[in-house]
Amino acid sequence: MEPFPSDQIQLPRNMIENSMFEEEPDVVDLAKEPCLHPLEPDEVEYEPRSSRLLVRGLGEHEMDDDEEDYESSAKLLGMSFMNRSSGLRNNMSIYRQNPNGSCSVPSTRTMVVCTVVLVIAVSLIMVIYLLPKCTFTKEGCHKKNHTMELIYPLATNGKIFPWAKIRLPPDVVPLHYDLVLQPNLTTLKFAGSVKIVVNIIQVTWKIILHSSGLNITKATITSAGGHQAKPVEFLEYPLHDQIAVMAPEALLVGQNYTVNIEYSSNLSDTYYGFYKISYKDENSKQRWFAATQFEPLAARSAFPCFDEPAFKATFLIKIKRDEKLSTLSNMPKKATTPVTNGIVQDEFFVSLKMSTYLVAFVVADLKNISKETNGSLVSVYAIPQHLNQVGYALNTAVKLLEFYEKYFLINYPLEKLDLVAIPDFQSGAMENWGLITFRETTLLFDSNTSSARDKKLITAVIAHELAHQWFGNLVTMEWWNDLWLNEGFATFMEYFAMEEIFPELHSDEDFLNLIFKAMMKDSLNSSRPVSSAVQSSEQIEEMFDALSYIKGASLLLMLKHYLTKDVFQAGIEVYLHNHNYGSAQSDDLWDSMNEITNGTLDVKKLMKTWILHKGFPLVTVVRKGKIISVQQEKFLYRAEPENWTTDESYLWHIPLTYITSSCNFTHCTNAYLLDQKSAVIELPEEVEWVKFNVDMNGYYIVHYAEDWKTLIHLLKKNHTALSPKDRANLINNIFNLASLGKESLEKAFELIDYLNKESSTAPLTQALFQLSLIYSLLEKKGEQQLAARVMHRIEHLLGDKIDQQHWTDDGTLSERELRSTLLAFACTHDMRNCRRTATEMFEKWMNSNGTMSLPSDVMKAIFTAGAKSSDGWEFLLKMYSSSVSEAEKSKMIEALASTEDVRKLIWLMQNSLEGEVIRAQELSHIIATVSQSLPGYLLAWDFVKENWEKLTRKFHLGSYTIQNIISSSTSQFATKTHLLEVKSFFESKSEESSQLRCVKEAIDTIQLNIQWMEKNLAKLQELL
């Protein structure tokens, strides 16, 4: 899945636990409840968030990882009974005092009670004395057949649900699904039935699978040899989206059974599962469209299934539909047969073995164009009025498919590949096998309104999703902890393929900027390792972040350069061949690479230091004559103990690369593996300068100590001695080191003084990014005069470059993209004559009633200037509603969100959330744009607070969209008041909200902003 580029309730747990003490739990003895289904050992765990039934029983149960859950349950039970006992004690006093102060003699009854209590107490003491010591240790006594208080959750009907873990049991595996669906685009509901052939791995009485929000009306089971379907009881446990099919007899090892379930549901009004979309056709008539988005956990809301990536199976899909509509699914259509008046059924060929999250279907009125390549028919589909915008995507997809087949030495295994533009889609795209779904802006290219940047975005997203047909679909990560195997690989291949096939797009520069942003996230305390343990739905959703995608991809880039491209490619081929149609873990990839390195390098040992540790290293370089000393430490913002170096877990194996003044071409790159805390490199001769991390191909930051002066001098004298990526790398590193306190801000400003001679996009973009961060913090802190001086410095460096830009679409793609960046920036900040020129062009366009053609590369700058006036804003909104170009509408939205009119900003955010005039898919981008402006940044945060429940219902807690909304609406804060407000807000929400990693990142970022201002405000006043 490609998250859309960001540029572009349960009770709190403590409340639930406290509620246990308000009412005694039911206690059921299994031995006295013959009606209950037999419970199998080792299938319960403490579930603190649900209603629960306490079950006391004996069973053979070895202590395992869930022991702490049981222990905490026992404590809860103990506390509950203690509360009851203490109540009795408070009401009992066997000696009563007379009014005169003497004690009366206790009654006979009282004496008997006391004697009994004393006997019980003595007995308990003796039992405790005689029990083995291990009884009172945390580990307990490891004996078979020992007694354990087991805790099972309750199903919706009040019966015991026989499974308490979030993960499904391994005793039953699916082999094949027969799925029949009938969506109704009038009632917006759907009916379905599914037959699942399962194989039994361990004897069991139950089949646990996933179901979410489905109204199940019937369930039966049939044995392999049997012809009669037997009705079965089914239990539902919505907290884990699970159902249990209770078999009438034991299910035997090695046997196949067929589970048949009939159900119905509503088409979803979120972006998950089988969901509905409304759009207007060519005649402005409202039409409906049904599509799917199952990754990561939503297949279960369209049909009952084993909804975990490792449970791969084949699928036969049949869809009943209105004969005026069309359907698409993963496989080619096999047959269409009439059902009743106006309703037909499409049957698709049986799929390859795949995970549930890759199943897909679309029901809509669509048109397409197609092209065949190497036995596969590639088609691009869109709603009829957009058919003239799909040509670029088709040609691009065919080129990329052919490239991947050659590179992987494995042909695309399906007979067809469909790419479908969906009118309302949360992420950028989704890699469903054979049926890739896209947001319209990431697939449709309009030659009149799509810019150079739009073309690059479309190419990148198609390249990403096609790479997934191998990485993710053919070989799938076993569990979501290794999501990077899917997303990191697809991101790496996306940029690699673009460099190979479309070098004129200079996509490597975009990747560089993404790596810089990923490192910002990875330098926080709240970061995580690339491969991280996850269980809950929120944790799984949060894995779709810059670390899985960008850090994962950059680690593969670093490995490719270290192993050499041929060895790396051979390792990939081994990995895909060894695990095709199966699942894999990170170690499987390293083992495949080791098959090729054949003992010359332990890739697993090297890469585990990167995959299993959060953060990245800071390498300090000190040069004396021919001797270079290198030392690594962890690059980390905020406090951590100074003596962290004693912790070997923070020792990376770093493939260092460097070039020197004696030979600075790419073929002269030197390599050195730093696998110790420090090392010494001896050069063959003395050199004028040395530059480490060539082209930023390594995931680390370099501090040059005294050599910064040398590099600053080199940039002023002869900046082209270093590549554009190396220059961008130096700018990024020195500003990060200044933020860390390792270098002075003065030196960082000195380094970028050469920029008036710079003409490459990468270093200019990086410098603008760093200076804009400083400007935004100062502006939002109320330091307007100082912020203006930062802008004056930018104008001094880049003013001539801005003046040289033409308001046309001429030049190379790289030149055109730089023009877009510089003019949009200049118009936003009213620099040079930019806003005046843009406003004049906007007024001409408005006077032509939008019929005049505008240069696509500068369209955003023109719209942004036009939206500053009330009339211009209203006209732009009118044109947005009638435009058929998604590329044009995207630029209009950004311009509308750039106004300084507070009422218009509030209306825009509210309207996007409602999804009527402006689609909800745009909301994240609107909030991010609103947050950038001085009047907007507080409004955006207020909007998020006031609409939190609606936002998390629409976009799901932890999703990429929610991550972006939280980040963009809080990242400008730099005061302790705002820090407290953000903390308090999320603490007042559910535990799931407050524990989100993106919330912790937001808090870390605000604290860093505060620190940065405290350290640098006075320095900036001197510098500027």
Side-chain angles (χ1 to χ4, degrees):
M1 186 162 64
E2 177 83 0
F4 194 71
S6 57
D7 297 343
Q8 351 201 295
I9 289 196
Q10 292 169 4
L11 288 170
R13 191 166 299 186
N14 61 335
M15 287 176 67
I16 295 172
E17 291 176 348
N18 290 341
S19 71
M20 284 191 68
F21 307 138
E22 292 166 16
E23 190 178 338
E24 284 306 329
D26 300 313
V27 180
V28 180
D29 194 323
L30 284 181
K32 296 174 185 171
E33 283 286 318
C35 64
L36 296 173
H37 285 280
L39 293 165
E40 294 156 28
D42 209 20
E43 45 181 53
V44 256
E45 72 179 10
Y46 173 50
E47 176 47 64
R49 291 180 295 172
S50 66
S51 56
R52 32 181 149 6
L53 179 67
L54 303 177
V55 183
R56 185 187 300 122
L58 294 174
E60 186 169 298
H61 185 92
E62 292 287 283
M63 290 282 220
D64 61 11
D65 292 340
D66 299 317
E67 195 168 43
E68 286 185 27
D69 284 345
Y70 299 136
E71 186 180 18
S72 52
S73 322
K75 286 176 185 170
L76 286 173
L77 277 173
M79 289 171 74
S80 183
F81 291 130
M82 280 167 67
N83 286 355
R84 184 171 58 188
S85 313
S86 62
L88 289 171
R89 280 199 304 274
N90 293 339
N91 294 327
M92 185 174 72
S93 179
I94 60 172
Y95 289 98
R96 293 181 181 82
Q97 203 171 36
N98 286 335
N100 62 7
S102 62
C103 293
S104 62
V105 178
S107 65
T108 308
R109 181 173 173 276
T110 304
M111 292 297 288
V112 169
V113 170
C114 286
T115 307
V116 170
V117 169
L118 189 62
V119 169
I120 290 169
V122 172
S123 304
L124 276 171
I125 290 165
M126 289 183 69
V127 167
I128 288 167
Y129 181 74
L130 293 170
L131 279 171
K133 287 179 186 174
C134 62
T135 307
F136 308 105
T137 64
K138 185 177 178 183
E139 291 76 18
C141 304
H142 291 265
K143 287 184 183 178
K144 290 193 175 182
N145 301 316
H146 83 226
T147 306
M148 177 72 71
E149 292 286 350
L150 303 181
I151 299 179
Y152 288 83
L154 285 179
T156 50
N157 62 0
K159 292 189 177 182
I160 299 165
F161 191 81
W163 188 251
K165 297 184 181 183
I166 293 175
R167 299 283 299 272
L168 297 180
D171 49 11
V172 179
V173 296
L175 302 176
H176 177 75
Y177 294 80
D178 274 2
L179 177 61
V180 181
L181 288 163
Q182 184 166 3
N184 186 322
L185 295 188
T186 304
T187 63
L188 303 177
K189 298 178 185 294
F190 69 95
S193 67
V194 65
K195 291 180 179 175
I196 312 173
V197 179
V198 299
N199 180 256
I200 308 303
I201 306 299
Q202 294 173 339
V203 160
T204 185
W205 290 76
K206 67 187 184 317
I207 298 172
I208 309 290
L209 63 160
H210 288 113
S211 170
S212 177
L214 302 177
N215 175 30
I216 297 174
T217 51
K218 185 180 177 184
T220 61
I221 192 166
T222 313
S223 60
H227 299 291
Q228 190 171 358
K230 297 177 183 176
V232 290
E233 180 187 20
F234 65 91
L235 304 170
E236 297 178 276
Y237 185 43
L239 188 69
H240 288 171
D241 291 342
Q242 289 172 355
I243 57 172
V245 174
M246 309 306 294
E249 57 197 16
L251 304 176
L252 305 177
V253 174
Q255 295 293 304
N256 288 354
Y257 296 85
T258 302
V259 179
N260 187 11
I261 300 172
E262 295 175 14
Y263 60 96
S264 63
S265 189
N266 296 322
L267 289 168
S268 171
D269 56 4
T270 71
Y271 290 106
Y272 293 81
F274 194 15
Y275 73 100
K276 61 180 186 279
I277 301 155
S278 76
Y279 68 97
K280 287 192 170 66
D281 65 14
E282 302 103 313
N283 305 313
S284 296
K285 183 183 172 187
Q286 188 187 41
R287 303 286 300 273
W288 288 96
F289 189 123
T292 56
Q293 171 58 45
F294 289 163
E295 189 179 32
L297 308 171
R300 63 192 67 176
S301 63
F303 58 101
C305 57
F306 294 77
D307 200 10
E308 292 182 8
F311 285 119
K312 290 192 169 188
T314 54
F315 294 81
L316 171 62
I317 294 172
K318 298 175 186 174
I319 298 177
K320 296 173 184 175
R321 58 162 171 99
D322 185 312
E323 62 186 359
K324 295 189 188 78
L325 300 173
S326 56
T327 60
L328 297 169
S329 187
N330 305 83
M331 300 301 289
K333 201 172 288 180
K334 184 179 180 183
T336 299
T337 52
V339 179
T340 57
N341 251 354
I343 302 293
V344 296
Q345 176 176 279
D346 290 329
E347 179 181 341
F348 298 88
F349 283 99
V350 176
S351 77
L352 299 175
K353 198 175 168 188
M354 64 182 185
S355 304
T356 47
Y357 78 85
L358 293 169
V359 173
F361 27 90
V362 170
V363 182
D365 177 16
L366 295 168
K367 302 287 184 211
N368 72 289
I369 60 171
S370 304
K371 190 182 279 189
E372 190 167 342
T373 175
N374 202 18
S376 295
L377 185 67
V378 181
S379 305
V380 183
Y381 288 81
I383 56 175
Q385 62 262 44
H386 287 158
L387 189 63
N388 63 340
Q389 298 175 39
V390 301
Y392 177 74
L394 180 63
N395 292 329
T396 301
V398 168
K399 285 179 188 172
L400 284 161
L401 196 67
E402 290 168 354
F403 171 78
Y404 286 141
E405 288 184 327
K406 285 177 189 166
Y407 187 79
F408 299 136
L409 293 182
I410 297 175
N411 282 347
Y412 173 71
L414 305 183
E415 289 177 15
K416 65 97 174 174
L417 175 63
D418 298 334
L419 293 78
V420 186
I422 308 283
D424 200 8
F425 198 73
Q426 182 179 342
S427 52
M430 176 63 210
E431 68 266 19
N432 317 296
W433 216 350
L435 179 61
I436 308 175
T437 46
F438 292 78
R439 187 184 283 215
E440 287 181 322
T441 47
T442 62
L443 192 67
L444 304 179
F445 182 83
D446 179 355
S447 55
N448 295 319
T449 58
S450 295
S451 64
R453 187 171 295 163
D454 295 327
K455 179 178 273 191
K456 190 184 279 192
L457 173 67
I458 291 164
T459 311
V461 176
I462 294 172
H464 184 97
E465 303 310 329
L466 260 64
H468 269 310
Q469 306 304 298
W470 286 265
F471 285 100
N473 301 7
L474 186 67
V475 180
T476 313
M477 79 266 139
E478 199 169 284
W479 180 243
W480 301 106
N481 65 305
D482 275 330
L483 177 67
W484 84 274
L485 280 177
N486 278 20
E487 298 300 351
F489 247 117
T491 306
F492 167 78
M493 290 306 304
E494 158 192 347
Y495 288 101
F496 175 65
M498 285 172 73
E499 274 188 75
E500 294 289 315
I501 309 170
F502 307 102
E504 72 280 3
L505 292 178
H506 293 281
S507 58
D508 54 332
E509 293 179 353
D510 294 282
F511 188 35
L512 188 69
N513 285 318
L514 289 174
I515 294 171
F516 291 149
K517 287 177 183 175
M519 291 177 99
M520 285 175 72
K521 180 186 178 85
D522 202 18
S523 62
L524 302 174
N525 270 344
S526 48
S527 186
R528 63 167 179 86
V530 169
S531 182
S532 301
V534 289
Q535 263 208 319
S536 72
S537 60
E538 297 84 17
Q539 289 170 341
I540 291 167
E541 290 274 11
E542 280 208 286
M543 291 297 282
F544 292 82
D545 67 0
L547 299 175
S548 291
Y549 285 75
I550 312 303
K551 182 177 179 180
S554 59
L555 295 181
L556 291 169
L557 176 71
M558 182 170 69
L559 182 63
K560 172 180 162 260
H561 280 279
Y562 188 59
L563 294 179
T564 70
K565 61 180 185 179
D566 293 340
V567 172
F568 182 80
Q569 183 179 354
I572 286 177
E573 288 164 9
V574 169
Y575 171 73
L576 290 173
H577 279 95
N578 285 354
H579 301 283
N580 58 8
Y581 303 104
S583 302
Q585 300 176 357
S586 296
D587 278 359
D588 295 319
L589 175 61
W590 313 139
D591 289 339
S592 299
M593 294 287 178
N594 278 342
E595 282 187 41
I596 305 300
T597 59
N598 199 23
T600 55
L601 173 72
D602 188 343
V603 177
K604 185 187 287 187
K605 187 178 177 185
L606 169 79
M607 293 308 292
K608 275 195 165 183
T609 68
W610 295 93
I611 295 296
L612 300 179
H613 297 152
K614 68 179 183 178
F616 55 88
L618 166 63
V619 177
T620 301
V621 175
V622 178
R623 184 167 60 98
K624 285 182 184 173
K626 293 194 291 184
I627 303 299
I628 298 176
S629 301
V630 289
Q631 181 174 316
Q632 65 161 293
E633 59 186 282
K634 186 175 186 184
F635 186 100
L636 180 70
Y637 289 122
R638 302 252 338 268
E640 244 199 3
E642 287 297 320
N643 63 347
W644 69 265
T645 50
T646 57
D647 181 356
E648 287 188 1
S649 67
Y650 284 128
L651 190 68
W652 283 268
H653 291 193
I654 312 170
L656 297 176
T657 55
Y658 60 95
I659 50 172
T660 68
S661 54
S662 63
C663 183
N664 57 352
F665 299 107
T666 311
H667 66 267
C668 297
T669 300
N670 301 281
Y672 181 87
L673 184 65
L674 179 62
D675 55 3
Q676 301 295 323
K677 170 73 178 143
S678 59
V680 171
I681 301 169
E682 188 172 353
L683 300 176
E685 58 186 337
E686 284 199 29
V687 294
E688 287 178 34
W689 54 263
V690 62
K691 161 71 175 69
F692 274 76
N693 200 359
V694 179
D695 281 343
M696 183 67 195
N697 288 328
Y699 192 74
Y700 56 94
I701 278 179
V702 183
H703 179 27
Y704 291 94
E706 290 304 308
D707 258 6
W708 275 116
K709 289 176 186 171
T710 312
L711 291 166
I712 289 167
H713 179 68
L714 175 67
L715 290 174
K716 284 178 180 171
K717 187 181 67 174
N718 180 22
H719 67 282
T720 55
L722 298 173
S723 71
K725 285 196 280 189
D726 272 333
R727 302 196 296 269
N729 176 223
L730 289 176
I731 294 168
N732 172 270
N733 282 194
I734 200 162
F735 274 94
N736 276 303
L737 290 164
S739 295
L740 197 64
K742 292 264 184 186
E743 252 320 332
S744 68
L745 203 54
E746 184 180 5
K747 201 167 278 183
F749 274 93
E750 198 185 338
L751 184 135
I752 59 171
D753 273 342
Y754 89 95
L755 280 177
N756 51 15
K757 294 184 288 186
E758 183 60 83
S759 57
S760 295
T761 306
L764 286 170
T765 306
Q766 182 55 207
L768 262 184
F769 175 75
Q770 294 294 344
L771 293 170
S772 296
L773 285 179
I774 296 171
Y775 171 82
S776 291
L777 279 181
L778 292 169
E779 183 195 40
K780 308 304 185 296
K781 191 82 177 352
E783 296 284 346
Q784 260 65 35
Q785 281 190 328
L786 202 49
R789 277 146 66 185
V790 171
M791 207 45 67
H792 180 73
R793 173 62 74 98
I794 295 173
E795 188 170 354
H796 171 71
L797 290 171
L798 303 180
D800 290 347
K801 193 68 57 189
I802 291 166
D803 290 340
Q804 291 162 14
Q805 302 307 312
H806 303 293
W807 293 78
T808 65
D809 286 339
D810 299 338
T812 65
L813 283 169
S814 187
E815 287 167 349
R816 290 172 59 189
E817 193 171 4
L818 181 60
R819 179 184 304 140
S820 292
T821 302
L822 290 175
L823 290 179
F825 181 87
C827 284
T828 299
H829 296 287
D830 203 7
M831 199 176 280
R832 300 300 219 209
N833 293 320
C834 184
R835 195 175 285 182
R836 192 179 71 200
T837 308
T839 304
E840 287 170 3
M841 293 181 79
F842 181 84
E843 284 170 357
K844 286 180 186 172
W845 178 72
M846 188 163 70
N847 292 335
S848 76
N849 204 25
T851 57
M852 187 182 103
S853 181
L854 292 174
S856 59
D857 292 327
V858 293
M859 193 181 280
K860 189 173 90 173
I862 294 167
F863 288 161
T864 302
K868 297 291 178 193
S869 73
S870 185
D871 288 347
W873 195 91
E874 296 292 347
F875 180 74
L876 206 55
L877 182 63
K878 185 185 90 171
M879 293 305 295
Y880 174 85
S881 302
S882 60
S883 174
V884 292
S885 164
E886 291 304 315
E888 185 177 55
K889 288 173 85 166
S890 177
K891 297 174 186 71
M892 288 174 175
I893 275 289
E894 197 163 334
L896 290 167
S898 301
T899 180
E900 291 170 8
D901 186 322
V902 168
R903 286 171 302 175
K904 286 182 169 65
L905 293 175
I906 294 169
W907 181 89
L908 202 61
M909 291 187 287
Q910 198 59 53
N911 200 275
S912 180
L913 180 58
E914 289 161 9
E916 294 299 320
V917 180
I918 296 160
R919 295 195 180 280
Q921 68 178 12
E922 307 293 349
L923 182 57
S924 168
H925 191 42
I926 289 170
I927 289 173
T929 307
V930 170
S931 298
Q932 290 301 310
S933 70
L934 188 57
Y937 86 112
L938 294 176
L939 283 180
W941 169 239
D942 285 343
F943 176 82
V944 171
K945 287 189 295 183
E946 287 162 18
N947 294 281
W948 180 248
E949 277 70 30
K950 287 181 186 174
L951 289 169
T952 52
R953 193 161 56 246
K954 182 73 178 174
F955 300 112
H956 283 215
L957 212 51
S959 68
Y960 199 78
T961 304
I962 290 294
Q963 291 176 47
N964 281 340
I965 286 172
I966 291 172
S967 170
S968 62
S969 63
T970 60
S971 63
Q972 308 281 312
F973 294 155
T975 67
K976 288 178 180 172
T977 307
H978 278 131
L979 176 64
L980 184 62
E981 187 183 326
V982 172
K983 277 183 173 178
S984 301
F985 172 74
F986 286 109
E987 283 168 4
S988 73
K989 297 301 167 188
S990 67
E991 185 186 28
E992 288 78 12
S993 295
S994 64
Q995 292 303 308
L996 288 174
R997 183 173 282 106
C998 55
V999 169
K1000 294 173 183 173
E1001 282 172 12
I1003 290 164
D1004 273 359
T1005 301
I1006 298 168
Q1007 287 173 323
L1008 283 172
N1009 289 346
I1010 293 167
Q1011 278 183 23
W1012 194 94
M1013 293 298 286
E1014 286 172 351
K1015 276 196 308 189
N1016 293 301
L1017 199 57
K1019 289 178 191 171
L1020 274 172
Q1021 283 165 339
E1022 288 174 28
L1023 274 173
L1024 301 171

